[in-house]
Structure formats: C-alpha cells, structure tokens
Amino acid sequence: RQVEITEAGNADNSVFNNTITVEADTDYTVVAAGHLGDGDQPFEVLTFVDDNSDVGDTDARLRAVHVSPDAPAVDITAGGGSPVLFDGVAYGQSGYTTVAGGDYTVEVRADTDTNDGAIQASFDNVSLDAGTVYTAFAAGNLDPSNSPGGEAFDLIVVPDSTDAN
C-alpha cells in the first residue's frame, strides 16, 4: 500500500511517502513515531502485526507499543508493581500480554532487572473489557520542554478488536 503522511496543519509538507507491504488477511497497526527534525529519535513509520485472535470471555489482550522518543526502555506494571505486564520495552518495540478484564492502575517505570524502577508516570482507571484486544501507546515526551512539539508523556489506550469482530 502506498502511504503518505503530512505534517499536521501543513498538508503540503509530506514527511513520509512510501510503500508499506502488507499481507492478505493480516491486521496491522502503522504508527508515525519520533520527531520531525531534531530530537532524540528521528521520524519513522513503524509497522506492527496485530494479534486479534479470540481472547476469550473473561480476559483482555493488551499490547504495549513504546513510541516515547525521549524515554529509555521501560517496565510496565499494574498498580503497586504487580503484576509486571511488560519487561524492558525499548523505543520502537511492542509486545502482548493477557490479563483479566477489569480496571487497572498502570505504572510506567524505568527499566530494571527487578521491575521496580522509579515510576515515570501512573495512569488510573485503565479499563480493559473482557473479550477485547487493546494497544497501549506510551507516547509523548518525558521532558516536553526538550522536544520539538512539546507533547507531554501519555498512555493512549485504544481497542483493536472485540469479541464481536
């Protein structure tokens, strides 16, 4: 597929215009990541294969995608540090885990061998409905004052599919 991405607010400035190869009957997530111009991570387009297979009636599948250009590798835990949802996710990486459907406090921590690093950000009331697949994007900047766009760090959770799909 031919994909073009333009600068926000300036449709005449194409920042990506290239072909992305996709396979039939496969779901994908395509992410515009990094900084245009100067920054810790240069602008790039990342493509991830989705796992929208049946997750069952009581569980939810959660994928973390690290696209925070100034954040080091992170551990992602539920509130209080347990359970560890993701261990050592570096920029541009992703991974899936399965959890019981429900509401969570999610903590993004500095990566350590014991998954108990300093909490960089905490997000309350992350609701994960049973039977649904989600992607959580760790995005924005830990230090927005040092980034070209000034976007603050955030956890953006979006449903990929539900058991109705």
Side-chain angles (χ1 to χ4, degrees):
R1 301 286 180 198
Q2 186 68 29
V3 175
E4 182 175 17
I5 300 172
T6 61
E7 181 181 6
N10 184 1
D12 294 331
N13 185 18
S14 179
V15 297
F16 180 86
N17 191 352
N18 210 337
T19 301
I20 295 177
T21 302
V22 295
E23 301 294 325
D25 301 318
T26 303
D27 297 328
Y28 295 89
T29 296
V30 178
V31 180
H35 290 134
L36 294 174
D38 295 332
D40 297 322
Q41 292 290 337
F43 179 82
E44 62 184 319
V45 174
L46 304 172
T47 304
F48 300 98
V49 175
D50 299 344
D51 179 1
N52 289 324
S53 60
D54 183 26
V55 69
D57 294 333
T58 59
D59 291 334
R61 184 175 299 117
L62 178 64
R63 171 174 51 186
V65 176
H66 183 332
V67 290
S68 175
D70 70 339
V74 296
D75 297 327
I76 302 173
T77 66
S82 182
V84 175
L85 302 172
F86 300 96
D87 180 22
V89 182
Y91 177 84
Q93 292 184 338
S94 73
Y96 280 102
T97 192
T98 301
V99 296
D103 295 333
Y104 292 86
T105 294
V106 175
E107 297 169 341
V108 179
R109 299 170 172 267
D111 180 34
T112 64
D113 290 340
T114 53
N115 307 108
D116 61 354
I119 297 171
Q120 303 300 307
S122 182
F123 303 92
D124 294 326
N125 301 317
V126 175
S127 294
L128 304 175
D129 293 334
T132 305
V133 178
Y134 294 90
T135 296
F137 297 95
N141 297 276
L142 290 177
D143 184 358
S145 67
N146 288 332
S147 70
E151 300 89 5
F153 185 82
D154 199 3
L155 186 70
I156 304 163
V157 181
V158 296
D160 292 347
S161 74
T162 65
D163 56 9
N165 287 341

